[in-house]
Amino acid sequence: MGVDGFAMVEGRPAGDARPPNPALPLNTTQEEPLADLNDSPLHVDETHARAPIANPDMIEPGVVEPGRALALADFAPPAIGAGDRLVRFAYRLGLSHPFRKRSKTRLTATVMNPLPGDAAAGKALRSGHFLIHGFRSAIADTAFSGPRLPPPFERLVHGFRWLRDLESGGTRAQCAQVAERILATWLTANPKPDGTPAWDVGNVGHRLLNWITHAPLLLSGQDRAFRSKVLHTLEDTARWLDRHVGKAEDRLAEVAGWAAITATGLILSDGKARRLYGEAGLVRALGELVGDDGGVLSRSPLCQIEAIELLLSLRACYEAVRAEPLPQIQTMLNLLLPPLLALLHGDGGLGNWQGSGAISAQRIDELVKASGVRTRPLRDARQWGYQRATAGRSVLQFDAGPPPAARQARDGCASTLAFEFSHGADRLIVNCGGAAFAGGMIPLRLEQGLRATAAHSTLTIDDFNSTAVLINGRLGSGVSEVEVDRRTLSPDGNGPGAAGSGATRIEASHNGYVSRYGLTHRRILILRDDGTELRGEDLLVPAGRKGKRGMIGVALRFHLGPHIELAVSTDGKGVTLALPDGSLWQFRSGRDAVTVEESLWADGQGRPLGTRQLVIAAKVPRSGESFSWLLKKMR
């Protein structure tokens, strides 16, 4: 037996977790007081927690270090014959057409775009504006050259990602002139490669792939000279990418480059050598992009989505020429979807992780439908770093992994041991998110703050980040490893929990504060199987045999979802949360008062919505301390 009235059926103990303090009712007249944590069937005491467990289905605890790529043996280049290997080798040496004269550049097929765009953004383009993350910017006022655009606009403008939106915003006749006009302006501003963001490998890869995928929009006009210029620009850009793809700014940018090279080899005439060259590079880059469980090493759901979209666009190019797609493309899609689905809440949208906003359920549904992959969310994406638990109508998402390595981070956040929690379509506990959208409706000056530990629902010491947040989306030193232990608590027929439900218990700890304070942060989350109760305990445990002297300031932050009404209890240790669906929840602190402060939350359109956060702040000794809390549905 592992807990009073419950049996441990997964995992084994991980550390010396002390029993949490009891949670108290909101006031003395409360009709339905909260149960005392020590009397609950979900309470874990040290005696039971150390009991030996024997179960062949248990999930073993372990240390999660920064993710590693798939082994190249798992993702080998496609097998080809000796002749094709010779052609590919010659192309790699710079001999584009080693055995015959190069023909005139032309497109051999029309690609059907596999993903719909944003119709509202497409209509805005027709009216003369770029629309990104809720922010409108006049096309006429846009700087198409030089490093003067915010990062989201750089990716939109220089990657020509707006073409998909424009295609969804009207008929081809209505949109073609708009596309040609913007392209002509861009070509005039960028006549040749230079060191500006327009020629970052990631932007060039997206640009080339989008030109090919949406070629009818760009080549439908009557101006033959312009069509010839566009075709020559396509070939010249592909040739530049052939030489520079290995200098990509990160792995995802490299995948975009290789996907564009492969697509160009498929769609442009006499492209076999380029296709063979691109396929080999693409497979190698894909193997270095993701971890063992299919999560991209940047740990960003936005990057996960981008990787899937790149592969879907490339697969559409194979289909356009009636060629069999690389089998590794479908293999990678099968790997990428389950971890992404693990970060969906009850409303079908994404959680706010690693700079992402709450991407809408519609966009995720469109992505899944286009992929053709039928799968379930990955519950234990341990290498990607996220744990998911579902109970009744409740969903718990827990960041139980180290932040991405500096070379892999894109909008990297110091979010270790943060969590999000939703019930039905309502999100109760969230992270701020939105760092990747900064430069739209979210001001650029907030970008670093939104990546900080305090912008996530977790613990901070003296307002320091658990991992250093640097400029340009990078991260510094801090959390290097995370210990994780996940188990199931089930009723065993004895004790006070015999007639109740079981629970999922996840425990994790990180070493981000060890170097500065000598303390390890350990968090325990217990979610009942009916989804009506989430219990937590946060512990600061000395990393050495003896804790340091002095006092530190600790703050536990619980950022709230939008449209939640609050009422603070008379003793200051509890808060009632009234959700939009009419349900009532109670949040209780076991020892310190709860204060309400302002916060913000980024939705899927990149719009910042004003919300609030619950904060438990205290001065505690550097020798260690514990904080217990409880979130319970009352009706």
Side-chain angles (χ1 to χ4, degrees):
M1 182 184 297
V3 182
D4 295 340
F6 286 81
M8 303 281 193
V9 299
E10 293 185 6
R12 68 172 185 255
D16 297 324
R18 282 177 282 174
N21 295 319
L24 304 176
L26 287 179
N27 54 59
T28 55
T29 60
Q30 178 68 41
E31 294 182 3
E32 187 179 357
L34 301 186
D36 185 282
L37 284 174
N38 293 314
D39 293 335
S40 168
L42 301 185
H43 169 63
V44 181
D45 64 40
E46 292 200 27
T47 302
H48 292 308
R50 295 181 184 277
I53 302 165
N55 191 303
D57 299 323
M58 68 177 66
I59 298 178
E60 294 292 337
V63 176
V64 181
E65 298 176 349
R68 66 178 182 87
L70 292 174
L72 292 183
D74 301 333
F75 232 64
I80 56 177
D84 286 346
R85 283 200 300 273
L86 179 60
V87 170
R88 186 175 66 192
F89 177 73
Y91 191 86
R92 187 183 295 121
L93 295 179
L95 303 175
S96 301
H97 301 275
F99 305 118
R100 57 189 174 84
K101 184 179 178 181
R102 194 171 86 184
S103 64
K104 184 179 179 180
T105 300
R106 62 184 179 86
L107 301 180
T108 61
T110 299
V111 182
M112 297 295 294
N113 177 33
L115 290 165
D118 184 340
K123 292 177 182 177
L125 285 163
R126 289 172 53 196
S127 67
H129 294 83
F130 287 116
L131 177 63
I132 179 170
H133 305 324
F135 183 78
R136 293 168 66 92
S137 176
I139 296 173
D141 297 334
T142 300
F144 285 93
S145 62
R148 290 174 287 180
L149 294 174
F153 273 93
E154 283 181 0
R155 293 190 286 269
L156 178 79
V157 172
H158 297 313
F160 278 70
R161 305 187 191 198
W162 51 267
L163 279 170
R164 186 193 303 167
D165 298 331
L166 181 61
E167 191 174 79
S168 298
T171 64
R172 182 181 300 178
Q174 293 172 321
C175 299
Q177 288 186 349
V178 177
E180 292 174 4
R181 186 165 60 249
I182 298 176
L183 174 58
T185 304
W186 189 92
L187 291 175
T188 301
N190 299 275
K192 60 182 180 180
D194 54 28
T196 64
W199 293 95
D200 289 346
V201 169
N203 287 333
V204 177
H206 277 279
R207 179 164 70 243
L208 186 57
L209 187 57
N210 282 318
W211 282 350
I212 291 170
T213 306
H214 303 281
L217 281 181
L218 303 173
L219 300 172
S220 295
Q222 301 301 314
D223 188 340
R224 292 186 177 181
F226 181 75
R227 291 205 305 273
S228 177
K229 180 180 180 180
V230 172
L231 287 173
H232 280 93
T233 301
L234 266 169
E235 177 60 37
D236 291 343
T237 303
R239 199 175 300 120
W240 181 93
L241 199 55
D242 290 340
R243 299 190 304 271
H244 294 86
V245 65
K247 302 176 183 177
E249 51 273 20
D250 58 34
R251 290 300 182 195
L252 185 56
E254 185 179 353
V255 168
W258 286 117
I261 289 171
T262 306
T264 308
L266 287 164
I267 301 301
L268 291 190
S269 56
D270 292 335
K272 180 179 179 180
R274 175 175 281 140
R275 173 181 63 81
L276 294 172
Y277 172 66
E279 287 176 341
L282 175 66
V283 171
R284 183 175 60 253
L286 286 173
E288 296 171 350
L289 175 70
V290 303
D292 292 344
D293 52 18
V296 295
L297 299 185
S298 67
R299 301 195 61 220
S300 166
L302 290 178
C303 292
Q304 195 89 355
I305 290 174
E306 183 177 330
I308 294 170
E309 290 176 342
L310 286 168
L311 295 178
L312 292 178
S313 295
L314 179 57
R315 190 175 69 180
C317 294
Y318 279 97
E319 294 169 352
V321 297
R322 295 184 174 87
E324 188 69 25
L326 276 174
Q328 288 90 342
I329 292 178
Q330 191 60 46
T331 300
M332 184 57 68
L333 288 173
N334 292 339
L335 277 172
L336 289 169
L337 261 296
L340 180 67
L341 299 183
L343 298 184
L344 298 187
H345 280 290
D347 60 3
L350 277 178
N352 289 21
W353 297 105
Q354 292 298 316
S356 173
I359 302 300
S360 69
Q362 178 183 352
R363 182 176 175 187
I364 300 299
D365 289 343
E366 291 169 349
L367 195 69
V368 173
K369 183 178 179 180
S371 73
V373 176
R374 300 185 64 182
T375 185
R376 293 182 178 181
L378 189 61
R379 184 186 65 168
D380 183 8
R382 186 161 302 202
Q383 290 301 317
W384 202 30
Y386 298 104
Q387 294 285 325
R388 173 186 175 89
T390 57
R393 299 179 61 207
S394 297
V395 176
L396 171 67
Q397 299 173 6
F398 188 25
D399 184 347
R407 66 184 182 278
Q408 296 153 349
R410 184 186 287 193
D411 306 303
C413 297
S415 58
T416 310
L417 300 198
F419 76 96
E420 291 200 348
F421 181 72
S422 63
H423 182 74
D426 296 319
R427 304 188 186 205
L428 282 81
I429 308 297
V430 298
N431 302 309
C432 294
F437 301 154
M441 292 189 71
I442 297 176
L444 268 175
R445 67 179 183 274
L446 297 182
E447 186 260 350
Q448 277 192 272
L450 293 174
R451 295 165 52 212
T453 304
H456 299 82
S457 294
T458 187
L459 176 147
T460 59
I461 301 179
D462 290 338
D463 285 331
F464 279 102
N465 295 318
S466 58
T467 298
V469 174
L470 308 178
I471 61 173
N472 298 324
R474 303 304 181 187
L475 295 171
S477 60
V479 178
S480 60
E481 62 179 36
V482 176
E483 294 184 0
V484 185
D485 174 22
R486 177 171 179 148
R487 66 185 71 180
T488 296
L489 313 180
S490 62
D492 64 358
N494 300 310
S501 62
T504 298
R505 180 184 187 274
I506 308 174
E507 177 179 344
S509 62
H510 74 70
N511 63 348
Y513 291 119
V514 169
S515 61
R516 182 183 292 270
Y517 297 103
L519 293 171
T520 296
H521 175 206
R522 178 177 297 136
R523 168 164 274 183
I524 302 170
L525 299 178
I526 302 176
L527 176 64
R528 291 185 68 95
D529 284 348
D530 59 8
T532 62
E533 186 175 284
L534 176 66
R535 296 170 180 265
E537 184 177 16
D538 287 274
L539 302 96
L540 293 173
V541 182
R545 293 185 177 182
K546 186 177 181 180
K548 297 183 179 180
R549 296 181 179 180
M551 303 292 287
I552 54 174
V554 176
L556 276 75
R557 300 180 183 275
F558 303 84
H559 297 271
L560 301 178
H563 315 305
I564 295 178
E565 297 183 5
L566 306 179
V568 180
S569 66
T570 55
D571 66 356
K573 294 184 180 181
V575 180
T576 299
L577 287 66
L579 274 56
D581 67 358
S583 62
L584 285 180
W585 291 71
Q586 289 182 340
F587 179 88
R588 290 294 303 178
S589 169
R591 48 162 284 171
D592 297 289
V594 182
T595 59
V596 179
E597 299 180 6
E598 297 297 317
S599 182
L600 68 82
W601 176 75
D603 69 4
Q605 299 297 319
R607 298 172 297 192
L609 303 181
T611 61
R612 286 170 288 185
Q613 58 178 309
L614 307 181
V615 181
I616 302 173
K619 290 286 186 179
V620 301
R622 297 182 69 166
S623 58
E625 192 53 86
S626 67
F627 302 84
S628 62
W629 49 267
L630 171 65
L631 182 63
K632 182 175 181 178
K633 187 175 186 290
M634 304 307 295
R635 76 172 191 202

Short mmCIF file of all heavy atoms in Angstrom, two decimals, residues 280-323:
data_model
loop_
_atom_site.label_atom_id
_atom_site.label_comp_id
_atom_site.label_asym_id
_atom_site.label_seq_id
_atom_site.Cartn_x
_atom_site.Cartn_y
_atom_site.Cartn_z
N ALA A 280 18.49 13.55 -49.42
CA ALA A 280 19.51 13.06 -48.48
C ALA A 280 19.73 14.06 -47.35
O ALA A 280 19.82 13.68 -46.17
CB ALA A 280 20.82 12.79 -49.22
N GLY A 281 19.82 15.34 -47.70
CA GLY A 281 20.01 16.35 -46.67
C GLY A 281 18.81 16.49 -45.75
O GLY A 281 18.96 16.69 -44.54
N LEU A 282 17.61 16.36 -46.33
CA LEU A 282 16.39 16.49 -45.53
C LEU A 282 16.29 15.39 -44.49
O LEU A 282 15.98 15.65 -43.32
CB LEU A 282 15.16 16.45 -46.45
CG LEU A 282 13.80 16.45 -45.76
CD1 LEU A 282 13.58 17.78 -45.04
CD2 LEU A 282 12.68 16.19 -46.76
N VAL A 283 16.55 14.17 -44.89
CA VAL A 283 16.44 13.05 -43.96
C VAL A 283 17.44 13.20 -42.83
O VAL A 283 17.12 12.97 -41.65
CB VAL A 283 16.63 11.72 -44.70
CG1 VAL A 283 16.74 10.56 -43.72
CG2 VAL A 283 15.46 11.47 -45.65
N ARG A 284 18.64 13.62 -43.17
CA ARG A 284 19.65 13.82 -42.12
C ARG A 284 19.24 14.94 -41.16
O ARG A 284 19.36 14.81 -39.94
CB ARG A 284 21.00 14.14 -42.76
CG ARG A 284 22.14 14.29 -41.76
CD ARG A 284 23.48 14.47 -42.46
NE ARG A 284 23.49 15.68 -43.30
CZ ARG A 284 23.46 15.66 -44.63
NH1 ARG A 284 23.40 14.50 -45.27
NH2 ARG A 284 23.47 16.78 -45.33
N ALA A 285 18.72 16.04 -41.70
CA ALA A 285 18.31 17.16 -40.86
C ALA A 285 17.11 16.80 -39.98
O ALA A 285 17.03 17.22 -38.82
CB ALA A 285 17.97 18.37 -41.73
N LEU A 286 16.18 16.02 -40.51
CA LEU A 286 15.03 15.60 -39.72
C LEU A 286 15.48 14.74 -38.54
O LEU A 286 14.93 14.85 -37.44
CB LEU A 286 14.04 14.82 -40.59
CG LEU A 286 13.20 15.63 -41.58
CD1 LEU A 286 12.41 14.71 -42.49
CD2 LEU A 286 12.26 16.59 -40.84
N GLY A 287 16.45 13.88 -38.77
CA GLY A 287 16.95 13.05 -37.68
C GLY A 287 17.59 13.84 -36.57
O GLY A 287 17.64 13.40 -35.43
N GLU A 288 18.09 15.04 -36.90
CA GLU A 288 18.73 15.89 -35.90
C GLU A 288 17.78 16.93 -35.32
O GLU A 288 18.16 17.70 -34.45
CB GLU A 288 19.94 16.58 -36.53
CG GLU A 288 21.02 15.60 -36.96
CD GLU A 288 22.13 16.26 -37.77
OE1 GLU A 288 21.95 17.43 -38.15
OE2 GLU A 288 23.16 15.61 -38.00
N LEU A 289 16.54 16.96 -35.81
CA LEU A 289 15.58 17.97 -35.37
C LEU A 289 14.79 17.53 -34.14
O LEU A 289 14.44 18.37 -33.30
CB LEU A 289 14.60 18.27 -36.52
CG LEU A 289 13.43 19.22 -36.21
CD1 LEU A 289 13.96 20.64 -36.01
CD2 LEU A 289 12.40 19.18 -37.33
N VAL A 290 14.52 16.24 -34.02
CA VAL A 290 13.59 15.76 -33.00
C VAL A 290 14.27 14.82 -32.03
O VAL A 290 15.32 14.25 -32.31
CB VAL A 290 12.37 15.05 -33.63
CG1 VAL A 290 11.65 15.95 -34.62
CG2 VAL A 290 12.80 13.77 -34.32
N GLY A 291 13.64 14.67 -30.86
CA GLY A 291 14.09 13.72 -29.86
C GLY A 291 13.45 12.36 -30.06
O GLY A 291 12.70 12.12 -31.01
N ASP A 292 13.73 11.47 -29.12
CA ASP A 292 13.28 10.09 -29.26
C ASP A 292 11.76 9.94 -29.30
O ASP A 292 11.25 9.01 -29.92
CB ASP A 292 13.82 9.25 -28.10
CG ASP A 292 15.33 9.08 -28.19
OD1 ASP A 292 15.88 9.34 -29.27
OD2 ASP A 292 15.95 8.71 -27.18
N ASP A 293 11.04 10.85 -28.62
CA ASP A 293 9.59 10.71 -28.59
C ASP A 293 8.88 11.59 -29.61
O ASP A 293 7.67 11.74 -29.58
CB ASP A 293 9.05 11.00 -27.18
CG ASP A 293 9.55 12.33 -26.63
OD1 ASP A 293 10.02 13.16 -27.42
OD2 ASP A 293 9.47 12.52 -25.40
N GLY A 294 9.63 12.20 -30.53
CA GLY A 294 9.01 12.96 -31.62
C GLY A 294 8.88 14.45 -31.37
O GLY A 294 8.34 15.16 -32.22
N GLY A 295 9.35 14.96 -30.25
CA GLY A 295 9.29 16.38 -29.96
C GLY A 295 10.51 17.11 -30.50
O GLY A 295 11.63 16.62 -30.37
N VAL A 296 10.31 18.25 -31.15
CA VAL A 296 11.45 19.01 -31.64
C VAL A 296 12.29 19.48 -30.45
O VAL A 296 11.77 19.74 -29.36
CB VAL A 296 11.00 20.21 -32.49
CG1 VAL A 296 10.31 19.75 -33.76
CG2 VAL A 296 10.08 21.14 -31.71
N LEU A 297 13.59 19.58 -30.66
CA LEU A 297 14.49 19.86 -29.55
C LEU A 297 14.38 21.28 -29.02
O LEU A 297 14.88 21.57 -27.93
CB LEU A 297 15.94 19.56 -29.96
CG LEU A 297 16.21 18.11 -30.35
CD1 LEU A 297 17.69 17.90 -30.63
CD2 LEU A 297 15.74 17.15 -29.27
N SER A 298 13.73 22.17 -29.76
CA SER A 298 13.46 23.51 -29.23
C SER A 298 12.35 23.48 -28.19
O SER A 298 12.15 24.48 -27.49
CB SER A 298 13.07 24.46 -30.36
OG SER A 298 11.82 24.07 -30.91
N ARG A 299 11.63 22.38 -28.09
CA ARG A 299 10.53 22.17 -27.15
C ARG A 299 9.37 23.13 -27.41
O ARG A 299 8.49 23.29 -26.57
CB ARG A 299 10.99 22.30 -25.70
CG ARG A 299 12.08 21.32 -25.29
CD ARG A 299 12.22 21.23 -23.78
NE ARG A 299 10.99 20.77 -23.17
CZ ARG A 299 10.50 21.27 -22.04
NH1 ARG A 299 11.14 22.23 -21.40
NH2 ARG A 299 9.38 20.81 -21.56
N SER A 300 9.34 23.76 -28.55
CA SER A 300 8.31 24.75 -28.87
C SER A 300 7.19 24.12 -29.68
O SER A 300 7.44 23.55 -30.74
CB SER A 300 8.92 25.90 -29.67
OG SER A 300 7.91 26.70 -30.26
N PRO A 301 5.95 24.23 -29.22
CA PRO A 301 4.84 23.71 -30.05
C PRO A 301 4.71 24.45 -31.37
O PRO A 301 4.25 23.88 -32.35
CB PRO A 301 3.60 23.89 -29.16
CG PRO A 301 4.01 24.86 -28.10
CD PRO A 301 5.48 24.71 -27.91
N LEU A 302 5.11 25.73 -31.40
CA LEU A 302 5.06 26.46 -32.67
C LEU A 302 6.06 25.86 -33.66
O LEU A 302 5.77 25.75 -34.86
CB LEU A 302 5.38 27.94 -32.44
CG LEU A 302 4.32 28.76 -31.71
CD1 LEU A 302 4.79 30.20 -31.52
CD2 LEU A 302 2.99 28.74 -32.46
N CYS A 303 7.24 25.49 -33.19
CA CYS A 303 8.22 24.84 -34.07
C CYS A 303 7.73 23.46 -34.48
O CYS A 303 7.99 23.02 -35.62
CB CYS A 303 9.56 24.74 -33.36
SG CYS A 303 10.38 26.33 -33.08
N GLN A 304 7.04 22.78 -33.59
CA GLN A 304 6.46 21.47 -33.92
C GLN A 304 5.46 21.63 -35.06
O GLN A 304 5.46 20.85 -36.01
CB GLN A 304 5.77 20.89 -32.68
CG GLN A 304 5.44 19.41 -32.78
CD GLN A 304 6.57 18.52 -32.29
OE1 GLN A 304 7.65 18.99 -31.95
NE2 GLN A 304 6.34 17.22 -32.25
N ILE A 305 4.62 22.64 -34.97
CA ILE A 305 3.64 22.91 -36.03
C ILE A 305 4.35 23.27 -37.32
O ILE A 305 3.97 22.79 -38.41
CB ILE A 305 2.69 24.05 -35.58
CG1 ILE A 305 1.77 23.56 -34.47
CG2 ILE A 305 1.87 24.56 -36.77
CD1 ILE A 305 0.91 24.66 -33.87
N GLU A 306 5.37 24.11 -37.24
CA GLU A 306 6.10 24.52 -38.45
C GLU A 306 6.73 23.33 -39.15
O GLU A 306 6.69 23.23 -40.38
CB GLU A 306 7.17 25.55 -38.08
CG GLU A 306 7.92 26.11 -39.27
CD GLU A 306 8.93 27.18 -38.87
OE1 GLU A 306 8.69 27.89 -37.87
OE2 GLU A 306 9.96 27.32 -39.56
N ALA A 307 7.30 22.41 -38.38
CA ALA A 307 7.91 21.22 -38.98
C ALA A 307 6.85 20.38 -39.70
O ALA A 307 7.09 19.88 -40.81
CB ALA A 307 8.61 20.40 -37.90
N ILE A 308 5.69 20.23 -39.08
CA ILE A 308 4.62 19.45 -39.71
C ILE A 308 4.16 20.14 -41.00
O ILE A 308 3.96 19.48 -42.04
CB ILE A 308 3.44 19.29 -38.73
CG1 ILE A 308 3.87 18.42 -37.53
CG2 ILE A 308 2.24 18.66 -39.43
CD1 ILE A 308 2.86 18.40 -36.40
N GLU A 309 4.00 21.46 -40.96
CA GLU A 309 3.54 22.19 -42.15
C GLU A 309 4.56 22.08 -43.29
O GLU A 309 4.17 21.95 -44.46
CB GLU A 309 3.29 23.65 -41.78
CG GLU A 309 2.08 23.86 -40.89
CD GLU A 309 1.90 25.30 -40.46
OE1 GLU A 309 2.86 26.08 -40.57
OE2 GLU A 309 0.78 25.64 -40.02
N LEU A 310 5.84 22.14 -42.96
CA LEU A 310 6.86 21.99 -44.00
C LEU A 310 6.75 20.63 -44.68
O LEU A 310 6.82 20.52 -45.92
CB LEU A 310 8.25 22.16 -43.39
CG LEU A 310 8.68 23.58 -43.02
CD1 LEU A 310 9.95 23.55 -42.17
CD2 LEU A 310 8.90 24.42 -44.28
N LEU A 311 6.59 19.58 -43.89
CA LEU A 311 6.50 18.24 -44.46
C LEU A 311 5.23 18.05 -45.28
O LEU A 311 5.23 17.37 -46.32
CB LEU A 311 6.58 17.20 -43.35
CG LEU A 311 7.91 17.13 -42.59
CD1 LEU A 311 7.85 16.08 -41.48
CD2 LEU A 311 9.05 16.81 -43.55
N LEU A 312 4.13 18.66 -44.85
CA LEU A 312 2.88 18.55 -45.61
C LEU A 312 3.00 19.27 -46.96
O LEU A 312 2.51 18.78 -47.98
CB LEU A 312 1.72 19.13 -44.80
CG LEU A 312 1.32 18.34 -43.55
CD1 LEU A 312 0.19 19.05 -42.82
CD2 LEU A 312 0.88 16.93 -43.92
N SER A 313 3.64 20.43 -46.96
CA SER A 313 3.84 21.15 -48.23
C SER A 313 4.74 20.36 -49.17
O SER A 313 4.49 20.29 -50.38
CB SER A 313 4.42 22.54 -47.96
OG SER A 313 3.52 23.36 -47.24
N LEU A 314 5.78 19.76 -48.61
CA LEU A 314 6.67 18.96 -49.45
C LEU A 314 5.96 17.72 -49.98
O LEU A 314 6.13 17.36 -51.16
CB LEU A 314 7.91 18.56 -48.64
CG LEU A 314 8.94 17.69 -49.37
CD1 LEU A 314 9.42 18.37 -50.65
CD2 LEU A 314 10.11 17.37 -48.45
N ARG A 315 5.17 17.08 -49.14
CA ARG A 315 4.42 15.90 -49.60
C ARG A 315 3.48 16.27 -50.73
O ARG A 315 3.28 15.49 -51.68
CB ARG A 315 3.65 15.29 -48.43
CG ARG A 315 3.03 13.94 -48.75
CD ARG A 315 2.38 13.32 -47.53
NE ARG A 315 1.18 14.05 -47.12
CZ ARG A 315 0.41 13.72 -46.08
NH1 ARG A 315 0.74 12.66 -45.34
NH2 ARG A 315 -0.66 14.41 -45.76
N ALA A 316 2.90 17.47 -50.67
CA ALA A 316 2.02 17.93 -51.75
C ALA A 316 2.78 18.09 -53.06
O ALA A 316 2.22 17.87 -54.14
CB ALA A 316 1.36 19.26 -51.35
N CYS A 317 4.06 18.44 -52.99
CA CYS A 317 4.87 18.54 -54.20
C CYS A 317 5.09 17.17 -54.83
O CYS A 317 5.06 17.03 -56.07
CB CYS A 317 6.21 19.21 -53.88
SG CYS A 317 6.08 20.94 -53.37
N TYR A 318 5.32 16.16 -54.01
CA TYR A 318 5.43 14.79 -54.54
C TYR A 318 4.12 14.38 -55.22
O TYR A 318 4.14 13.79 -56.31
CB TYR A 318 5.74 13.82 -53.40
CG TYR A 318 7.18 13.76 -52.97
CD1 TYR A 318 7.64 14.48 -51.89
CD2 TYR A 318 8.09 12.95 -53.65
CE1 TYR A 318 8.97 14.42 -51.48
CE2 TYR A 318 9.42 12.88 -53.26
CZ TYR A 318 9.86 13.62 -52.17
OH TYR A 318 11.16 13.56 -51.78
N GLU A 319 3.02 14.69 -54.57
CA GLU A 319 1.72 14.31 -55.13
C GLU A 319 1.46 15.04 -56.44
O GLU A 319 0.81 14.48 -57.35
CB GLU A 319 0.62 14.60 -54.11
CG GLU A 319 0.71 13.72 -52.85
CD GLU A 319 -0.21 14.19 -51.74
OE1 GLU A 319 -0.80 15.28 -51.89
OE2 GLU A 319 -0.34 13.46 -50.73
N ALA A 320 1.95 16.27 -56.56
CA ALA A 320 1.71 17.04 -57.78
C ALA A 320 2.37 16.41 -59.00
O ALA A 320 1.85 16.48 -60.11
CB ALA A 320 2.22 18.48 -57.59
N VAL A 321 3.52 15.76 -58.79
CA VAL A 321 4.22 15.12 -59.92
C VAL A 321 3.98 13.61 -59.94
O VAL A 321 4.66 12.87 -60.65
CB VAL A 321 5.73 15.42 -59.87
CG1 VAL A 321 5.98 16.91 -60.03
CG2 VAL A 321 6.36 14.91 -58.57
N ARG A 322 3.02 13.16 -59.12
CA ARG A 322 2.65 11.74 -59.05
C ARG A 322 3.86 10.86 -58.70
O ARG A 322 4.04 9.78 -59.26
CB ARG A 322 2.01 11.27 -60.35
CG ARG A 322 0.68 11.94 -60.65
CD ARG A 322 0.04 11.36 -61.90
NE ARG A 322 -1.29 11.90 -62.12
CZ ARG A 322 -1.54 13.03 -62.77
NH1 ARG A 322 -0.54 13.75 -63.28
NH2 ARG A 322 -2.77 13.45 -62.94
N ALA A 323 4.67 11.34 -57.78
CA ALA A 323 5.82 10.57 -57.31
C ALA A 323 5.54 10.08 -55.89
O ALA A 323 4.80 10.72 -55.12
CB ALA A 323 7.08 11.42 -57.34
#
